[in-house]
Amino acid sequence: MTSTTSTPRRAAAAAFIGTTIEFYDFYIYAFAAALVLGPLFFPSENPMLSTMAAFGSFAVGFIARPFAGMVFGHLGDRLGRKKMLLVTILLMGIATTCIGLLPTYSQAGVWAPIGLIFLRLLQGISVGGEWGGAVLMASEHAPKGRKVFFASFAQWGSPAGLLLALIAFRCISEMEQESLMSWGWRIPFLMSGVLMIVGLVIRFGVPESPEFTKVKDSDQTSKNPVSEVIRTGWRQILFAALAVTIGSGGFFFTNTFMITYVTQYQGIAKTTILDCLFVVTILQFLSQPCSALLAERLGEGRFLKWVASLCILVPYPMFLLVQTGNLFYMTAGIALAVILLAALYAVIAGYMAEAFPTRVRYSGISIAYQLGSGLTGGLTPLLGTFLAGYFAGQWWPLAVFFSVLAFMSLTGVIGLSRLRSQNAKSYVLAPSQGVIS
């Protein structure tokens, strides 16, 4: 199959819309965990314990992601990228809609949190399989020399999904507290069913990746891509997992934990922080494609090193501005951090993808990304809540925590860059052995 002139754009658009829907579903759970799920499903006399339990259920979704990355990576490298993307969006839509139908603890007792955690696991499985396929459908359809930029369209779905989630929760936050807690919180979850249908229709219209089709037609698909990529590319997986740390953990720090931090520890209204995050997310949405274009001109490796280095420094001015309680300064502080996070996030997907050969690429990037995001993205709000409670009134431990995440990403980018330089393009496809490192 050969790509027509319009196919790369269609593939990029489908990746963007599909990941927008997936991340909308994922983010509305994050917001619900910060705002309502604690008292509804994990009631306690101590609000901090309820919030930590809700964030614990949020982390469960991340625990499932590395395993899902392996399963869907294997199937995607064996059967194709498109089939897996249809399965993941269907699974996510069903799981999220069912969360909106769940009885609460007061209605069903212990079965309520059990059901919530089970559906959260399904969400994690879906995202664990979704990300790699969306990135590859965009990058493997891309013109030569533009793979990183086209792959960034899959990453662009994250701020778009976050915007939709923020709009949904901003609307219901205006409701009376009693109505919000009884039925209003369900609305964003139930909307997922409609979005799922839209995503399925769009993805049906995009052909399979031409690079995968070429490998399949030449009978060079790996019999066990997960085993092969772990055996031959474990260093690439390790450094790529480190490289995505701040891109995942940092966003959940600014967009999820920060809601709890400013509402519970600074007494700022929910609507104020949601308005702040809405403006910040618009800036992220606008800046991400610009960052991808800039990286294309400067060199992706050099660009990623500079951005990761700046991320180590950015939490200190961010917290100083957030501490003022002024909406303008809060927005400026969080925006400064998020624009840097978005720059790394936009570029890292395509940069990672080029580190693995086609026959094991879905498995390689899925394992790496889901391992990194699973450990940091899910635990960041939980650890942030613990630090905020333990060091009550002090922001510097939180800033140090953010800097550590950024340093891990810088280490990963440097390691991945060196491997790419040493190995020409990390791996070369060999007809007899599949890959040579």
Side-chain angles (χ1 to χ4, degrees), residues 78-414:
R78 293 283 299 159
L79 305 177
R81 287 58 163 132
K82 179 177 177 178
K83 292 184 179 72
M84 297 306 103
L85 290 177
L86 294 174
V87 172
T88 56
I89 199 166
L90 183 65
L91 181 62
M92 176 63 93
I94 292 172
T96 308
T97 303
C98 286
I99 290 175
L101 299 173
L102 270 181
T104 62
Y105 189 91
S106 64
Q107 297 168 323
V110 71
W111 291 108
I114 290 174
L116 183 69
I117 291 170
F118 173 73
L119 293 172
R120 177 62 182 161
L121 276 171
L122 293 185
Q123 278 193 324
I125 291 170
S126 175
V127 173
E130 160 78 18
W131 182 85
V135 167
L136 295 186
M137 282 293 280
S139 67
E140 291 180 351
H141 274 289
K144 186 177 180 180
R146 309 225 56 202
K147 290 184 177 296
V148 170
F149 176 69
F150 274 74
S152 72
F153 278 80
Q155 303 291 73
W156 209 19
S158 177
L162 180 54
L163 279 174
L164 289 180
L166 280 166
I167 291 170
F169 268 87
R170 183 63 178 82
C171 290
I172 66 171
S173 67
E174 297 287 354
M175 298 174 63
E176 294 288 337
Q177 184 70 6
E178 184 178 349
S179 298
L180 172 64
M181 299 301 285
S182 63
W183 59 270
W185 67 272
R186 300 179 183 275
I187 296 173
F189 290 96
L190 296 176
M191 286 173 56
S192 176
V194 178
L195 295 176
M196 175 187 68
I197 296 172
V198 173
L200 284 170
V201 171
I202 291 170
R203 284 189 166 170
F204 265 117
V206 179
E208 179 58 88
S209 153
E211 292 187 25
F212 171 78
T213 301
K214 184 177 179 181
V215 168
K216 185 176 181 181
D217 290 347
S218 60
D219 198 28
Q220 290 185 337
T221 54
S222 174
K223 292 182 179 180
N224 195 335
V226 171
S227 175
E228 180 178 325
V229 78
I230 291 174
R231 184 180 71 254
T232 61
W234 64 268
R235 291 175 299 169
Q236 278 82 347
I237 291 174
L238 175 62
F239 284 122
L242 286 171
V244 304
T245 298
I246 194 63
S248 178
F251 277 124
F252 286 106
F253 188 102
T254 56
N255 294 327
T256 304
F257 164 71
M258 195 62 77
I259 296 175
T260 298
Y261 178 74
V262 301
T263 54
Q264 291 191 10
Y265 295 95
Q266 291 191 277
I268 294 172
K270 295 175 184 177
T271 53
T272 300
I273 185 60
L274 289 174
D275 287 343
C276 168
L277 291 178
F278 183 73
V279 173
V280 168
T281 306
I282 291 174
L283 295 175
Q284 178 192 348
F285 181 79
L286 296 174
S287 69
Q288 270 194 213
C290 299
S291 296
L293 287 171
L294 182 61
E296 205 172 54
R297 290 177 177 274
L298 299 179
E300 292 90 354
R302 180 187 302 174
F303 179 84
L304 288 168
K305 290 173 190 174
W306 275 105
V307 170
S309 299
L310 291 173
C311 284
I312 296 174
L313 304 175
V314 80
Y316 304 95
M318 176 182 71
F319 270 104
L320 286 172
L321 291 169
V322 167
Q323 291 298 116
T324 65
N326 177 280
L327 178 59
F328 176 79
Y329 291 132
M330 286 174 57
T331 303
I334 297 174
L336 179 64
V338 167
I339 287 173
L340 288 174
L341 296 175
L344 186 143
Y345 185 73
V347 177
I348 196 63
Y351 194 70
M352 287 170 56
E354 289 299 289
F356 301 95
T358 305
R359 59 186 271 130
V360 294
R361 187 174 290 154
Y362 202 143
S363 299
I365 67 170
S366 293
I367 293 169
Y369 182 83
Q370 303 307 340
L371 181 63
S373 65
L375 291 176
T376 58
L379 294 177
T380 292
L382 193 62
L383 290 175
T385 301
F386 171 77
L387 290 172
Y390 189 82
F391 296 96
Q394 301 182 63
W395 58 264
W396 65 265
L398 297 168
V400 170
F401 176 43
F402 191 102
S403 293
V404 169
L405 294 177
F407 180 77
M408 290 169 65
S409 280
L410 177 61
T411 303
V413 168
I414 292 172

